[in-house]
């Protein structure tokens, strides 16, 4: 057990109280088996054939959805430049890591307000290597 177990439980409780649950979708990805590439899925038994994995994998996330600001998004994704960010198209998530089977990664998608949003960047708060929360920037659409 991590020495931050209490912080992990506290983060989950606070996010559950202030936030909501959403669905994160991990879509199939191309795999170059000849090059020895492995996707982020722990179980590769669902591989359909050369280079393709099966249907999107849904994961329930508990998170707080915040309006985006240039500073929050740029802190996660340095490719964005000030002044070019259309903030209505972006949101910032604080996701409880407790019980989450996967780390949010770029190109994952989140179903929010009846629309599909794409993760553009994420990072974790993991002082001893075990995540307490994830912070993710999402963009409306694909």
């Amino acid at each position: 057990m991590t020495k931050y177990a209490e912080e992990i439980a506290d983060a989950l409780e606070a996010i559950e109280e202030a936030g909501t649950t959403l669905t994160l979708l991990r879509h199939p990805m191309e795999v170059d088996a000849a090059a020895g590439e492995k996707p982020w899925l722990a179980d590769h038994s669902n591989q359909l054939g050369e280079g393709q994995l099966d249907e999107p994998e849904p994961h329930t996330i508990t998170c707080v959805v915040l309006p985006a600001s240039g500073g929050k998004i740029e802190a996660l994704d340095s490719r964005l430049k000030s002044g070019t960010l259309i903030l209505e198209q972006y949101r910032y998530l604080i996701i409880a890591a407790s019980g989450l089977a996967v780390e949010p990664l770029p190109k994952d998608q989140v179903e929010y307000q009846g629309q599909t949003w794409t993760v553009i960047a994420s990072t974790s708060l993991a002082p001893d290597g075990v995540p307490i929360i994830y912070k993710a920037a999402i963009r409306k659409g694909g």
Side-chain angles (χ1 to χ4, degrees):
M1 178 170 268
T2 176
K3 65 181 181 176
Y4 290 97
E6 186 175 330
E7 286 79 1
I8 292 170
D10 290 346
L12 176 60
E13 182 180 340
I15 292 171
E16 282 177 338
E17 186 176 310
T20 187
T21 57
L22 301 175
T23 300
L24 179 128
L25 295 171
R26 172 117 339 137
H27 285 273
M29 63 179 278
E30 292 296 315
V31 179
D32 184 355
E37 290 182 12
K38 294 183 180 178
W40 52 75
L41 300 173
D43 178 13
H44 306 294
S45 63
N46 61 351
Q47 194 160 348
L48 293 176
E50 187 62 29
Q52 187 101 37
L53 296 176
D54 62 0
E55 292 300 311
E57 200 177 353
H59 299 276
T60 300
I61 59 173
T62 303
C63 63
V64 174
V65 181
L66 300 171
S69 71
K72 286 179 193 165
I73 302 298
E74 288 172 357
L76 293 176
D77 190 346
S78 61
R79 295 171 296 168
L80 297 174
K81 295 184 173 134
S82 291
T84 63
L85 190 61
I86 302 171
L87 296 178
E88 301 82 42
Q89 301 294 319
Y90 292 82
R91 294 291 181 269
Y92 184 75
L93 304 179
I94 300 174
I95 303 167
S98 180
L100 189 58
V102 297
E103 174 180 349
L105 295 174
K107 297 187 181 179
D108 284 348
Q109 293 185 316
V110 175
E111 295 173 351
Y112 173 61
Q113 292 185 334
Q115 298 179 314
T116 300
W117 297 65
T118 301
V119 176
I120 58 171
S122 71
T123 187
S124 66
L125 173 63
D128 71 342
V130 176
I132 296 173
I133 62 167
Y134 293 101
K135 297 180 280 183
I138 58 174
R139 177 181 54 230
K140 192 184 295 184

